[in-house]
Amino acid sequence: MALRTTRTLLTRVTQPSPARQTAKTKPTTILEVERKFRRLTVPTLTDICATKNNDHYNPNFRSVLPFPTRTIHDIYYDAPDHTLCTSGGAWIRRRNGEWQAKVKRGGDFVNSRFEELRGVQEIRDCIRSILGGGISLKQEGENFGLERLAEFVTTREAWLVDGEFKVVRDRMDFGHEVGEVELQVEVPVGDAEEEKGVLIMEEMDRRIEEFMKNYAWAWECGEAVGKLTAYFEMVRRKNGGV
C-alpha cells in the first residue's frame, strides 16, 4: 500500500496539471535522484536501439533520444573552512554564469538525493541557514562572501532512455570521466523537506536501481569517482602530494 501511494505521488508531480502552469501556482523546487557509474561500456548510446541480434545489448533499450552535447563551465564556492559542503551538504556553484545550489536530501556518494535551488534569494537563504553569523554575506556580485573552491570545464553528453531516465557522461578538461543516471521531479517547495518528498525520492531511487540492473551491460564495473573528488586529487598531485 505504501509503494502504491508513493507511485501516485510521483505520477502527480511528474505530470503537472494545467493549473500548475498559471501565474498563481505555488513556488516549486526540483528533487533529483542520481546514481553514478564509472564509465559507459559503449562509445555512445545513440543508435543502440537500432542494433539487432546482438547478445551484448540484451535487453536492448526501448528508446534512446540524444540531447545536444554541452560545454559546461563550473565554478564552485564555499566558506574558507569548507563548511557548506562538509557540514551543510550544500554545493554552491556558478554554471555558465548562473548561480545554482544542490542541497543533499539523503543517500550517499554513489546514490545521491538532492534538492536543486536556482533562485538567488533561495541560494542566499540556504547559505545563511548553514553558516548563520559565521560569515559576512555580501551582495550577489561578490559571490555571497564565499571563496572560489574549484573551477573546470565539462563536456557533457546525455541521452533520454526509455522516455524518462537521463543518462549522462561527463568528461572534464583535467582528464576525468564519470557518468550518472538521473530522475528529476518538480514539487511544491514545502514538500521537499516533508515525508511526501522523502517517499517520492525513495521511489525514484528504486526505479533507477531497477533500470540499471536491467541494463547492467551498459555500465562499466568499478568505483565511480565524482568530479570534485577527482579535481582535488588532481590539484594535490600537481602540488607535489603523494
Side-chain angles (χ1 to χ4, degrees), residues 4 45 50 52 163 178:
R4 186 178 304 162
L45 296 190
K52 304 297 183 182
V178 69

Side-chain angles (χ1 to χ4, degrees), residues 25-236:
T25 53
K26 290 194 286 186
T28 60
T29 189
I30 300 296
L31 297 181
E32 176 184 292
V33 177
E34 62 185 39
R35 282 182 177 252
K36 292 181 173 62
F37 59 86
R38 185 171 179 173
R39 292 183 183 88
L40 289 171
T41 60
V42 292
T44 178
L45 296 190
T46 305
D47 299 329
I48 287 292
C49 286
T51 304
K52 304 297 183 182
N53 302 319
N54 190 324
D55 290 338
H56 180 69
Y57 311 133
N58 185 25
N60 206 330
F61 298 128
R62 296 194 302 272
S63 65
V64 176
L65 176 65
F67 292 104
T69 299
R70 298 175 58 201
T71 300
I72 302 170
H73 181 195
D74 281 327
I75 307 175
Y76 285 83
Y77 295 86
D78 207 329
D81 59 358
H82 300 178
T83 300
L84 291 175
C85 62
T86 57
S87 301
W91 285 261
I92 313 298
R93 67 190 178 200
R94 290 194 77 166
R95 171 160 288 184
N96 292 342
E98 295 185 3
W99 285 105
Q100 300 178 359
K102 296 185 71 171
V103 184
K104 192 172 183 180
R105 296 298 184 206
D108 53 31
F109 168 74
V110 174
N111 171 19
S112 305
R113 304 174 188 178
F114 296 101
E115 178 183 0
E116 289 200 356
L117 307 178
R118 300 295 178 91
V120 169
Q121 188 57 51
E122 290 179 287
I123 295 172
R124 182 180 287 112
D125 291 343
C126 172
I127 296 170
R128 286 175 176 166
S129 70
I130 297 171
L131 299 182
I135 191 170
S136 175
L137 296 174
K138 303 179 183 180
Q139 298 299 316
E140 173 189 347
E142 298 182 72
N143 306 327
F144 305 104
L146 305 177
E147 295 183 353
R148 186 173 300 201
L149 181 67
E151 181 176 4
F152 48 83
V153 176
T154 301
T155 299
R156 169 166 291 181
E157 298 170 272
W159 303 265
L160 184 66
V161 179
D162 291 355
E164 57 181 335
F165 297 92
K166 186 176 182 181
V167 178
V168 171
R169 173 166 59 194
D170 283 340
R171 290 169 167 162
M172 277 58 72
D173 60 356
F174 55 90
H176 184 61
E177 179 178 333
V178 69
E180 58 192 33
V181 178
E182 304 176 355
L183 279 177
Q184 289 187 346
V185 296
E186 183 179 5
V187 301
V189 170
D191 288 357
E193 298 181 8
E194 296 177 357
E195 183 179 0
K196 187 184 296 185
V198 174
L199 291 173
I200 290 171
M201 286 190 288
E202 287 178 351
E203 171 66 1
M204 292 164 70
D205 182 59
R206 187 200 65 78
R207 292 170 62 205
I208 292 176
E209 181 181 22
E210 185 178 87
F211 170 84
M212 294 187 74
K213 284 182 177 179
N214 192 41
Y215 299 119
W217 56 264
W219 334 111
E220 183 179 293
C221 295
E223 182 182 359
V225 179
K227 290 178 280 190
L228 283 175
T229 300
Y231 176 86
F232 294 135
E233 176 62 21
M234 178 273 295
V235 171
R236 187 185 65 80

